[in-house]
Amino acid sequence: MAGGEDMGGRHPGALTEEQAGRMLAEMNEVIRAGEEMRRLRADMIQVLAGLGWTQEKIARLTGMSQPAVSKQVAKQKDGDDPAPPMGLSLDQHDAPWLEGRLWALAEGISESCRGAARCTRYVESLARGRKRFTPGNVDELRRLVEEDLRLHAAELPGGFRAAYDGISRGLDVPSKTAAPDPDTSASVRRALAHRIQRDLLGGGA
């Protein structure tokens, strides 16, 4: 091929299979994350309704129409007893709750270190749905958080270490009792624990 690189019979403007594969994989990540967020929002609406929030307030906060919220709330099977209000105490010991707290702590560390923390890329991957809360991923995030607490001890509030110690003990010794509200999905419990822990660490102020 005169004056240019040999393209192996492929038109110079064509995509390679590798390029197309990467592009479609990134699209699939966005689509999957969107689907998971829609499921999470639907589950959260059920939780808020169980806490006694009005459909009008839920609609306002979610940006949904009230009929759409009513449809979500009505998905609870006819004749089922309403679930008791969900406990929001930070001191709960099921795995999803502890994972949500760990996620929040990692975010707080990343923000305090202005992105220089070892856990920053992992936090970004969790936020974009590229990482799941598998046992292996949780162990990896714990390792990164431990490193950051050691490397950046001087610039992190003391409460971060105390929070991690409590989370770590809970993850090391799994609770023998079921979650306080077994009907609530793991993703909802993780999201709620994440939000409550962030606010307590000062991230939501």
Side-chain angles (χ1 to χ4, degrees):
M1 183 172 173
E5 184 182 354
D6 182 7
M7 302 296 290
R10 179 172 55 81
H11 188 278
L15 281 172
T16 66
E17 182 176 343
E18 183 180 2
Q19 288 171 322
R22 284 199 303 266
M23 183 172 63
L24 291 169
E26 290 169 357
M27 291 178 183
N28 287 338
E29 284 180 354
V30 173
I31 292 169
R32 184 175 60 243
E35 291 172 346
E36 290 175 354
M37 276 298 171
R38 282 191 290 273
R39 287 195 296 271
L40 177 57
R41 185 178 67 174
D43 289 344
M44 190 65 72
I45 287 171
Q46 297 282 356
V47 169
L48 295 177
L51 290 170
W53 292 32
T54 65
Q55 294 183 14
E56 180 181 4
K57 179 184 287 188
I58 295 172
R60 176 168 52 81
L61 292 174
T62 59
M64 298 170 65
S65 69
Q66 193 162 337
V69 170
S70 297
K71 184 177 180 181
Q72 291 289 345
V73 173
K75 285 184 176 180
Q76 183 173 327
K77 295 179 181 178
D78 293 338
D80 282 357
D81 293 330
M86 180 177 178
L88 297 179
S89 165
L90 196 64
D91 188 26
Q92 300 183 58
H93 302 287
D94 56 296
W97 193 264
L98 292 164
E99 291 163 2
R101 292 185 61 194
L102 178 66
W103 177 18
L105 177 59
E107 279 189 351
I109 290 171
S110 178
E111 291 176 8
S112 295
C113 296
R114 296 176 175 81
R118 297 290 303 277
C119 65
T120 294
R121 291 182 64 182
Y122 223 86
V123 165
E124 292 172 349
S125 293
L126 288 171
R128 288 170 171 75
R130 294 177 180 173
K131 293 283 188 184
R132 300 289 188 279
F133 284 90
T134 64
N137 285 345
V138 171
D139 285 345
E140 176 68 7
L141 183 58
R142 287 181 67 184
R143 184 184 66 78
L144 294 171
V145 166
E146 287 174 357
E147 288 184 16
D148 285 325
L149 287 170
R150 176 174 52 83
L151 294 171
H152 303 283
E155 52 195 295
L156 294 174
F160 281 35
R161 165 56 71 177
Y164 179 74
D165 288 345
I167 294 166
S168 183
R169 282 193 299 269
L171 290 170
D172 284 339
V173 184
S175 174
K176 295 181 180 180
T177 60
D181 44 2
D183 292 332
T184 303
S185 72
S187 58
V188 166
R189 290 190 57 72
R190 196 176 289 121
L192 285 168
H194 169 268
R195 182 69 269 158
I196 295 169
Q197 182 71 77
R198 282 307 312 267
D199 289 346
L200 288 175
L201 291 172

